[in-house]
Amino acid sequence: MEDIQNSASKVAMPIDRVGVRDLTLPLIVRDRKAGRQHTMARVELSVDLPAHFKGTHMSRFVEALGDWSEGLDYEAFKNLLTDIIHRLEARRAHAKLTFPFCLRKPSPVSGRKGVMSYDCSVEGELENGELRFTLGVKVPVMTVCPCSKAISVEGAHSQRAVVYIRTRFKGFVWIEDLIEIAEESGSSPVYSLLKREDEKHVTEESFSNPTFVEDVVRNAANGLENHPKIEWYKVDVESFESIHNHCAFASIEKS
Amino acid sequence: MEDIQNSASKVAMPIDRVGVRDLTLPLIVRDRKAGRQHTMARVELSVDLPAHFKGTHMSRFVEALGDWSEGLDYEAFKNLLTDIIHRLEARRAHAKLTFPFCLRKPSPVSGRKGVMSYDCSVEGELENGELRFTLGVKVPVMTVCPCSKAISVEGAHSQRAVVYIRTRFKGFVWIEDLIEIAEESGSSPVYSLLKREDEKHVTEESFSNPTFVEDVVRNAANGLENHPKIEWYKVDVESFESIHNHCAFASIEKS
Amino acid sequence: MEDIQNSASKVAMPIDRVGVRDLTLPLIVRDRKAGRQHTMARVELSVDLPAHFKGTHMSRFVEALGDWSEGLDYEAFKNLLTDIIHRLEARRAHAKLTFPFCLRKPSPVSGRKGVMSYDCSVEGELENGELRFTLGVKVPVMTVCPCSKAISVEGAHSQRAVVYIRTRFKGFVWIEDLIEIAEESGSSPVYSLLKREDEKHVTEESFSNPTFVEDVVRNAANGLENHPKIEWYKVDVESFESIHNHCAFASIEKS
Amino acid sequence: MEDIQNSASKVAMPIDRVGVRDLTLPLIVRDRKAGRQHTMARVELSVDLPAHFKGTHMSRFVEALGDWSEGLDYEAFKNLLTDIIHRLEARRAHAKLTFPFCLRKPSPVSGRKGVMSYDCSVEGELENGELRFTLGVKVPVMTVCPCSKAISVEGAHSQRAVVYIRTRFKGFVWIEDLIEIAEESGSSPVYSLLKREDEKHVTEESFSNPTFVEDVVRNAANGLENHPKIEWYKVDVESFESIHNHCAFASIEKS
């Protein structure tokens, strides 16, 4: 049968990225406490395409995924990208996997454990044997407004905010490390299970530590600056303001 | 050309609803203060299909929309459904339009006006000349947790919640009426523009009126019970808990 | 500490459902071939609340989940609901879990296997010891337009459609059974991995079997009618029309 | 009342962007044929924040929006950003507005008009009096697979794809110009209203002009290269493959 993809392209322009996305795949990721954890990932895979080829062989991305083990770590991820470069005769390959990552987190006073989930991403581009690898995580926190607290006789508005951290680093960094940095950057971490004594604690703690979205993004950036292995980061904080119908946001990228 | 749609169906089953959705259309809706307001609507249109017809003539839905005026009121809406029944030779027609509705709302102390938007819906089914018409609106409010306030030395967690009201009524009801009922059901309304004196007011007011999601849904249902024209309602409240990464919700439907 | 939830409500109305949603949880589901399969579920849990109680004890939902095994089957699901009724002193409990379900599906000619994922849901309401259990699955298929094919010199527009089946049944029904019924209802199943000979087969098969969205919904409903265990179903088909920027849809509910 | 925002920040880091998002606003945009068009926009506004200030005065963004006319053109957009820089005493301001843009588009044979909508965006960053302005539009098209057509006895799979163009340019460019470039880049434009003769035409035209996602992205990039005013562009094409449950995509950015 004719291989249309290998024929010449009418418009001779190189394509930066061509590939597939929105595949769902079972995945096993590393877990600091349990060793490993089963999850489900959304997958995007792509390569560059030189100006003279009409098309990519899209099915080879799915074949590469199928032959790949389900275990995700740095080496396995690099192997997937190397395999894609070979199968698709490309110069450059890119992959992004996003998945929920769960932790059984104890509440602050009663110590009851509840499952918390964090949306994570690993993203990498391989070119000339060099992998540019980015680890990301979205962490919910609670913020209490410092202005509202200072000017009001009683109370202060609080809300959930999401701290979205993306990092590049040397060596190895746990997702859990990034979660900790994010959770320390707001007025309080959030929990899935809180008994009455826990709720009292979270309320009082958060009110003793009010934070603007500006404070949260700086605290997280500062935590990442102080991490010995992290070489680049971008922090985006979005706060679902409880007194408004819009969000406040702030972002810092290490230049 | 062959009219495949009019040929016999292999599986002789009647279809409850068949139609089109995800069309976007400019729309003019009634506004209690300004008279009328321009917005953009998402549209879904459908009819029933008897067992013996293979297919519907989908393009006629879009023709009906095109011939329809952009002005939305009860009569215009009924006319659209009547027209669809005729064009598609149906027994029953259904339409749903969802759109943002904007109000310039003054802040509670300084009186500065900011635009608030509310996601609204009108939905109707016409059969035997009778229109079953439903008006819906999603209204954000603020809630302060009564439990957190009662047990904590200082503060209480607060968050944004959404009150989703759907109603059927006799006569005419303004969207603004439903917004008011919803905004009175939480700890405080929310605003797009709050200066410092307004933020102080909203904080103190909301802390003097703590509400669970259960209180909000009951308050809204009670407000709708007391409205002289409303014959049926369903209220769904969802609260983006600031101490958790999940939502709390509650619903009451008038039986 | 004060138990505000147990205090009297100001508005004495019963609440149909009050609970939590948007929790994410690791889950193990039954798999006809592999025995079991790890996935991640979104969870919603609720109970009724009598008129005289101010609030529900929301943390007990999360405790019930935490004590629940991760293995999902009919008995385990009923146990979760029974446990919730006891913990929350309710009359009625409702739960909904949605999760991706993966199958390694061989392509039709070359037999290469690729992972397909299907969004599934289990939903149940327990009252007076009786569980009303609903199993749902969303299955992508391909449709080729019969009208376009009949009137054109060459070709016909095709597109992806989603067949969303919800069922209640006696005894046990596999998710895989529902997937099969759905996949047989369009012009062709879809696959994640297709080599050139497979693509040729899928193209030719689908063009020899053109289907309107009306055909698909009837074929699926007919398949469910013929299943010996299924007592109730609702089928919703949505087709991402390739010649339009809107969708066509159709639905049949067994009355 | 205390101005907490003006107090010193504990972590002395500059913030790249801090602001508000998810506001909805009525907007009037320029329309090549009708002169102007009413729509609804989602708005995001932000500024930079120096290291020594604790917080931004978020309400000033909403005040700037309120004093802004609803008419969107280049000058008005620049005025909004200039005003924000002054009100917030910032060095740099950024705004992004996204909105549906509607056209009454005639079908190719019968000439019947139906409303098509396109998701558009205007984005700009003002710094040192210089505005970096980006216009974007998402345009649905139809693609027929060249490989499927070449290898099959009959037919070829087709699907809807979205061409997402972002551009920077000198002088003035109509949204309609970008829509035309995108619509010429696939196998066929799509329409909201097609009578039988139109559907025949679209089917036959698209089958005589099969395109991979790679062809579409190159065709659109080529069209933008040939536009005399466009200085920079990025084209992202995503195709909802009808034979798969995943999407194919391709992107080219002018370097």
Side-chain angles (χ1 to χ4, degrees):
Chain A
M1 278 182 284
E2 204 180 333
D3 187 346
I4 295 279
Q5 282 85 348
N6 272 341
S7 65
S9 59
K10 275 199 300 188
V11 177
M13 289 178 108
I15 295 179
D16 298 330
R17 282 188 189 167
V18 52
V20 293
R21 61 163 70 111
D22 293 339
L23 289 144
T24 299
L25 200 77
L27 193 73
I28 297 169
V29 294
R30 295 184 66 172
D31 180 319
R32 199 167 61 185
K33 193 164 279 174
R36 39 181 245 160
Q37 164 174 155
H38 291 269
T39 186
M40 282 282 177
R42 283 296 257 191
V43 180
E44 175 184 312
L45 302 172
S46 64
V47 291
D48 67 307
L49 186 72
H52 54 280
F53 284 125
K54 182 173 173 66
T56 317
H57 293 85
M58 299 276 192
S59 64
R60 297 181 190 173
F61 290 111
V62 187
E63 288 180 300
L65 266 188
D67 288 350
W68 192 52
S69 82
E70 287 177 8
L72 175 68
D73 58 25
Y74 184 88
E75 277 313 305
F77 190 68
K78 192 169 179 181
N79 289 343
L80 173 64
L81 286 166
T82 305
D83 185 33
I84 287 171
I85 283 183
H86 289 149
R87 284 181 199 254
L88 285 115
E89 299 167 60
R91 208 169 53 82
R92 202 169 59 228
H94 177 267
K96 184 171 183 181
L97 283 73
T98 54
F99 52 88
F101 180 77
C102 288
L103 291 180
R104 288 182 64 83
K105 185 176 160 184
S107 65
V109 177
S110 72
R112 306 282 188 95
K113 285 187 177 174
V115 173
M116 282 287 294
S117 72
Y118 305 89
D119 289 327
C120 296
S121 61
V122 296
E123 188 173 358
E125 189 155 43
L126 184 66
E127 188 170 7
N128 300 324
E130 207 175 313
L131 176 59
R132 190 180 156 97
F133 181 82
T134 307
L135 179 65
V137 63
K138 292 182 181 171
V139 180
V141 299
M142 181 185 180
T143 62
V144 172
C145 177
C147 170
S148 170
K149 192 187 169 197
I151 63 180
S152 304
V153 171
E154 181 198 29
H157 68 87
S158 62
Q159 48 270 316
R160 204 192 301 160
V162 172
V163 183
Y164 179 26
I165 292 175
R166 275 168 290 178
T167 55
R168 287 198 287 274
F169 45 80
K170 51 177 190 280
F172 180 79
V173 169
W174 291 100
I175 291 173
E176 291 89 335
D177 291 341
L178 303 182
I179 293 173
E180 280 166 18
I181 289 171
E183 292 195 333
E184 284 162 16
S185 66
S187 295
S188 169
V190 304
Y191 300 85
S192 62
L193 177 55
L194 292 173
K195 300 307 291 181
R196 209 164 293 141
E197 59 269 37
D198 301 310
E199 186 170 353
K200 174 178 161 61
H201 176 87
V202 167
T203 305
E204 293 171 358
E205 278 283 293
S206 63
F207 271 75
S208 71
N209 181 30
T211 49
F212 285 130
V213 70
E214 294 93 328
D215 295 314
V216 183
V217 76
R218 279 170 167 152
N219 290 341
N222 195 43
L224 295 163
E225 283 287 344
N226 292 333
H227 192 291
K229 291 181 180 165
I230 290 173
E231 300 183 316
W232 172 88
Y233 59 81
K234 187 168 194 290
V235 185
D236 290 282
V237 180
E238 187 172 72
S239 168
F240 307 98
E241 298 296 287
S242 61
I243 58 170
H244 297 304
N245 196 27
H246 57 259
C247 292
F249 73 96
S251 68
I252 294 179
E253 179 175 352
K254 186 185 177 74
S255 50
Chain B
M1 278 181 284
E2 203 180 333
D3 187 347
I4 296 278
Q5 282 85 349
N6 273 341
S7 65
S9 59
K10 275 198 300 189
V11 177
M13 289 177 109
I15 296 180
D16 298 329
R17 283 189 189 167
V18 52
V20 293
R21 62 163 70 111
D22 293 338
L23 288 143
T24 299
L25 201 76
L27 193 73
I28 297 170
V29 296
R30 296 184 66 172
D31 180 321
R32 198 167 60 185
K33 193 163 281 176
R36 39 182 243 158
Q37 163 174 158
H38 290 270
T39 187
M40 282 281 177
R42 284 296 257 189
V43 181
E44 176 183 310
L45 302 171
S46 64
V47 291
D48 67 306
L49 187 72
H52 54 281
F53 284 125
K54 181 172 171 68
T56 317
H57 293 85
M58 299 275 190
S59 65
R60 296 181 190 173
F61 291 111
V62 186
E63 288 180 301
L65 266 187
D67 288 349
W68 193 52
S69 81
E70 287 177 8
L72 175 68
D73 58 24
Y74 183 88
E75 278 313 305
F77 191 68
K78 192 169 179 181
N79 289 344
L80 173 64
L81 287 165
T82 306
D83 185 33
I84 287 171
I85 282 181
H86 290 150
R87 285 183 197 252
L88 285 116
E89 300 167 59
R91 209 170 51 84
R92 198 168 62 228
H94 177 268
K96 184 170 184 183
L97 282 73
T98 54
F99 51 89
F101 180 77
C102 288
L103 292 179
R104 288 181 65 83
K105 183 176 162 186
S107 65
V109 178
S110 73
R112 307 280 189 96
K113 285 188 176 173
V115 173
M116 281 288 294
S117 72
Y118 305 89
D119 289 328
C120 296
S121 61
V122 295
E123 189 174 355
E125 190 155 43
L126 184 68
E127 189 171 5
N128 301 324
E130 207 175 313
L131 176 58
R132 189 180 157 96
F133 181 81
T134 308
L135 180 66
V137 62
K138 292 183 181 171
V139 180
V141 299
M142 182 186 178
T143 63
V144 171
C145 177
C147 170
S148 170
K149 192 187 168 196
I151 63 181
S152 303
V153 171
E154 181 198 28
H157 67 88
S158 63
Q159 48 270 316
R160 203 192 304 159
V162 172
V163 183
Y164 179 26
I165 291 176
R166 273 168 291 179
T167 56
R168 287 198 285 273
F169 44 82
K170 51 177 189 282
F172 181 78
V173 169
W174 292 99
I175 292 173
E176 291 88 335
D177 291 341
L178 303 182
I179 293 173
E180 280 165 20
I181 289 171
E183 291 194 334
E184 284 162 15
S185 66
S187 295
S188 168
V190 306
Y191 300 85
S192 62
L193 178 54
L194 292 172
K195 299 307 293 180
R196 209 164 292 143
E197 57 269 36
D198 300 310
E199 185 169 352
K200 174 178 161 63
H201 176 87
V202 168
T203 305
E204 293 170 359
E205 277 284 291
S206 63
F207 272 75
S208 71
N209 181 31
T211 49
F212 286 130
V213 70
E214 293 93 329
D215 296 312
V216 183
V217 77
R218 280 169 167 152
N219 291 341
N222 196 42
L224 294 162
E225 282 287 345
N226 292 332
H227 191 290
K229 293 181 179 165
I230 290 173
E231 300 184 316
W232 172 88
Y233 59 83
K234 184 167 196 289
V235 185
D236 290 282
V237 181
E238 186 171 73
S239 167
F240 307 98
E241 299 295 287
S242 60
I243 58 170
H244 297 304
N245 196 29
H246 57 260
C247 291
F249 74 96
S251 68
I252 294 178
E253 179 176 352
K254 185 182 176 75
S255 52
Chain C
M1 278 181 283
E2 203 179 333
D3 188 345
I4 295 279
Q5 282 85 348
N6 272 343
S7 64
S9 59
K10 275 198 299 188
V11 177
M13 291 177 106
I15 296 179
D16 298 329
R17 281 188 191 169
V18 52
V20 293
R21 61 162 71 111
D22 293 339
L23 289 143
T24 300
L25 200 76
L27 193 73
I28 297 169
V29 295
R30 295 184 68 172
D31 178 321
R32 198 166 62 185
K33 192 164 281 174
R36 40 181 243 159
Q37 163 174 155
H38 290 269
T39 186
M40 281 281 176
R42 284 296 257 189
V43 181
E44 176 184 312
L45 302 172
S46 64
V47 291
D48 67 307
L49 187 72
H52 54 279
F53 284 124
K54 181 172 173 67
T56 317
H57 293 85
M58 299 275 190
S59 65
R60 297 181 190 173
F61 290 112
V62 187
E63 289 180 300
L65 266 188
D67 288 350
W68 193 50
S69 82
E70 288 176 8
L72 175 69
D73 58 25
Y74 184 87
E75 278 313 305
F77 190 68
K78 191 169 179 180
N79 289 343
L80 173 64
L81 286 165
T82 307
D83 184 32
I84 286 171
I85 282 182
H86 290 149
R87 284 181 198 254
L88 284 116
E89 299 167 60
R91 209 169 53 83
R92 198 168 63 229
H94 177 267
K96 184 170 185 182
L97 282 74
T98 55
F99 52 88
F101 179 77
C102 288
L103 292 179
R104 288 181 64 84
K105 184 175 162 186
S107 65
V109 178
S110 73
R112 306 283 188 95
K113 287 188 174 170
V115 173
M116 282 288 292
S117 71
Y118 306 89
D119 289 327
C120 296
S121 61
V122 295
E123 190 174 355
E125 189 155 44
L126 185 67
E127 189 170 5
N128 301 325
E130 207 175 313
L131 175 60
R132 189 181 158 94
F133 181 81
T134 308
L135 180 66
V137 62
K138 293 182 180 171
V139 180
V141 299
M142 182 185 178
T143 63
V144 171
C145 177
C147 170
S148 170
K149 192 186 170 197
I151 63 181
S152 304
V153 172
E154 181 198 28
H157 68 87
S158 62
Q159 49 271 315
R160 203 191 303 159
V162 172
V163 184
Y164 179 26
I165 292 175
R166 274 167 291 178
T167 56
R168 287 198 285 273
F169 45 81
K170 52 176 189 281
F172 180 79
V173 169
W174 291 100
I175 292 173
E176 290 89 335
D177 291 342
L178 303 182
I179 293 173
E180 280 165 19
I181 289 171
E183 291 194 335
E184 283 162 17
S185 66
S187 296
S188 168
V190 304
Y191 300 85
S192 62
L193 177 55
L194 292 172
K195 299 308 291 179
R196 209 164 293 140
E197 58 270 36
D198 301 310
E199 185 170 353
K200 175 178 160 63
H201 176 87
V202 167
T203 305
E204 293 170 358
E205 278 283 292
S206 62
F207 272 75
S208 71
N209 181 31
T211 48
F212 286 130
V213 70
E214 294 93 329
D215 296 313
V216 183
V217 77
R218 279 169 167 152
N219 291 341
N222 196 42
L224 294 163
E225 282 286 344
N226 293 331
H227 192 291
K229 292 182 179 164
I230 290 173
E231 300 183 315
W232 172 89
Y233 60 83
K234 184 167 196 290
V235 185
D236 289 282
V237 180
E238 186 173 72
S239 168
F240 307 97
E241 298 295 288
S242 61
I243 59 170
H244 298 304
N245 196 29
H246 57 259
C247 291
F249 74 96
S251 68
I252 294 178
E253 179 175 352
K254 185 184 177 76
S255 51
Chain D
M1 277 181 282
E2 202 179 335
D3 187 346
I4 296 279
Q5 282 85 348
N6 272 341
S7 65
S9 59
K10 273 198 301 189
V11 177
M13 291 177 108
I15 295 179
D16 298 330
R17 282 187 190 169
V18 51
V20 293
R21 60 163 70 111
D22 293 340
L23 288 143
T24 299
L25 200 76
L27 193 73
I28 298 170
V29 295
R30 296 184 67 171
D31 179 319
R32 200 167 60 184
K33 193 163 281 173
R36 38 181 245 158
Q37 165 174 154
H38 291 270
T39 187
M40 282 280 178
R42 284 295 256 191
V43 181
E44 175 183 312
L45 303 172
S46 63
V47 291
D48 67 306
L49 187 72
H52 53 279
F53 284 124
K54 181 171 172 70
T56 316
H57 293 86
M58 299 277 191
S59 65
R60 298 182 189 173
F61 289 111
V62 186
E63 288 180 300
L65 266 187
D67 288 348
W68 192 52
S69 82
E70 287 178 8
L72 176 66
D73 59 24
Y74 183 88
E75 278 313 304
F77 190 68
K78 191 169 179 180
N79 289 344
L80 173 63
L81 286 167
T82 306
D83 185 33
I84 287 171
I85 283 183
H86 290 150
R87 284 182 199 253
L88 285 117
E89 299 166 59
R91 210 168 52 83
R92 202 169 59 227
H94 177 267
K96 185 170 184 182
L97 282 74
T98 55
F99 51 89
F101 179 78
C102 288
L103 292 179
R104 286 182 67 82
K105 185 176 161 184
S107 65
V109 178
S110 72
R112 307 281 189 94
K113 285 187 176 173
V115 173
M116 281 287 295
S117 72
Y118 305 89
D119 289 327
C120 296
S121 60
V122 294
E123 188 174 356
E125 188 156 43
L126 185 67
E127 189 172 6
N128 301 323
E130 208 175 314
L131 176 59
R132 191 181 156 97
F133 181 82
T134 308
L135 180 66
V137 62
K138 292 182 181 173
V139 180
V141 299
M142 182 186 180
T143 62
V144 171
C145 177
C147 170
S148 169
K149 192 188 169 196
I151 63 180
S152 303
V153 172
E154 181 197 28
H157 67 87
S158 62
Q159 47 270 318
R160 204 191 303 158
V162 172
V163 184
Y164 179 26
I165 291 176
R166 275 167 290 178
T167 56
R168 287 198 286 272
F169 45 82
K170 51 176 189 283
F172 180 79
V173 169
W174 291 100
I175 292 173
E176 291 89 335
D177 290 342
L178 303 183
I179 293 173
E180 280 166 19
I181 289 171
E183 291 194 334
E184 283 162 16
S185 67
S187 296
S188 169
V190 305
Y191 301 84
S192 61
L193 178 54
L194 292 172
K195 300 307 293 179
R196 210 164 292 142
E197 58 270 37
D198 301 310
E199 185 169 353
K200 174 178 160 64
H201 175 89
V202 167
T203 305
E204 293 170 358
E205 277 284 292
S206 63
F207 271 74
S208 71
N209 181 30
T211 48
F212 285 131
V213 71
E214 294 93 329
D215 295 313
V216 183
V217 77
R218 279 169 167 152
N219 291 341
N222 196 41
L224 294 162
E225 283 286 344
N226 292 332
H227 192 291
K229 291 182 180 163
I230 289 172
E231 300 184 316
W232 172 89
Y233 59 82
K234 185 166 195 290
V235 185
D236 289 283
V237 181
E238 187 171 74
S239 168
F240 306 97
E241 299 295 289
S242 61
I243 58 170
H244 297 304
N245 196 27
H246 57 259
C247 291
F249 74 96
S251 68
I252 294 179
E253 179 176 352
K254 186 182 176 75
S255 51

